[in-house]
Amino acid sequence: MTSAAPPSLAGRLNTLVVEARVNADRALLVPRGELVNGCADTLAETLAGLPAGVYRIELDMSGVVFMDTAGLQFLDVLNDFSQRHEVPVTATNWNGQPRRILELAGLDTTDPLCATAHRPAPEPDVPEPASSAVALERSEQLHVLQVEVEQLRHAIASRPVIDQARGVLMAIHACTPDEAWHILREASQLSNTKLRLVAAAVTAGAEADGPAPPPEVRTALRTAVARLRG
């Protein structure tokens, strides 16, 4: 049994597929893809399709390669299902960028559900202590996550032009990939220009009849190369 998320608004198919394997009273869910917009709905559909008599749910998250703040909604769905059905749920084997997001959110990277899994819901009309402080901390964590994810998206989008610029610098200055990266980064700092804009200027300038980089970028590049050779 599998479920898939809809395409992302950006037009790139960010597919989450959840494979469910049921053995007696245990269900193993194996999500593969990205925890982005729509992932919580995909998970809810998978959970609703589990047969009666499942008394334990385990998720192997090793196939998840990217996660933004929608991943927290994914975890909320799991936690809500655990409490409503009194079924213990675990989500383990987090790797790479999703594991980093869990760290930023202050969650257990071994199993982010372990602190809340299968605990009784609070009694009605009995507020949890320091609820306002918890809400404030949650809001701050979400802001940090949003900034981190946005930076990562910019880095992914900038990667091709940066790699091209490194290739140009390696060919012109007979330097290594690390040295080319150092030149770009230092030129960015010296000229107070974003790294991807420096890289775009270097790449454009290498094309036939391409425009030369702006004066401040040219000066910064010369200085960075001279420092590297010095």
Side-chain angles (χ1 to χ4, degrees):
M1 177 175 66
T2 60
S3 301
S8 69
L9 295 177
R12 182 167 61 94
L13 191 60
N14 289 333
T15 303
L16 178 70
V17 175
V18 181
E19 179 183 356
R21 309 167 187 168
V22 179
N23 183 8
D25 61 353
R26 171 181 172 269
L28 173 63
L29 305 185
V30 185
R32 302 187 188 281
E34 303 180 350
L35 299 187
V36 293
N37 185 37
C39 67
D41 293 337
T42 301
L43 174 63
E45 179 183 341
T46 302
L47 293 173
L50 292 177
V54 170
Y55 296 109
R56 179 175 183 81
I57 300 175
E58 300 172 2
L59 282 85
D60 179 354
M61 306 300 296
S62 59
V64 173
V65 297
F66 182 83
M67 168 180 171
D68 61 16
T69 51
L72 299 181
Q73 299 173 7
F74 183 93
L75 295 176
D76 287 341
V77 169
L78 285 174
N79 186 53
D80 179 67
F81 185 90
S82 174
Q83 293 185 0
R84 285 190 296 107
H85 296 273
E86 298 185 351
V87 174
V89 179
T90 60
T92 59
N93 297 329
W94 296 82
N95 298 305
Q97 186 267 352
R99 184 182 180 93
R100 170 62 176 157
I101 294 296
L102 295 181
E103 292 174 349
L104 288 171
L107 299 174
D108 189 328
T109 56
T110 303
D111 179 8
L113 297 173
C114 66
T116 57
H118 194 38
R119 68 183 182 189
E123 293 294 330
D125 302 324
V126 179
E128 294 187 1
S131 58
S132 59
V134 171
L136 178 61
E137 181 180 2
R138 178 76 164 186
S139 176
E140 292 174 347
Q141 290 173 346
L142 284 174
H143 176 70
V144 171
L145 287 175
Q146 289 166 349
V147 171
E148 175 88 0
V149 169
E150 189 62 26
Q151 290 175 343
L152 180 63
R153 291 195 186 279
H154 278 302
I156 292 173
S158 303
R159 183 62 181 269
V161 71
I162 291 174
D163 286 344
Q164 292 174 19
R166 289 171 70 184
V168 170
L169 293 174
M170 290 165 60
I172 294 175
H173 301 290
C175 60
T176 66
D178 287 343
E179 289 172 335
W181 168 252
H182 178 82
I183 292 171
L184 285 174
R185 186 177 59 182
E186 187 162 0
S188 171
Q189 294 171 347
L190 291 172
S191 63
N192 195 28
T193 305
K194 291 183 178 179
L195 181 63
R196 66 177 181 274
L197 297 181
V198 173
V202 170
T203 302
E207 297 176 355
D209 300 324
E216 64 275 11
V217 173
R218 292 202 305 270
T219 301
L221 286 168
R222 285 197 297 267
T223 301
V225 171
R227 289 181 178 178
L228 182 65
R229 297 307 183 204

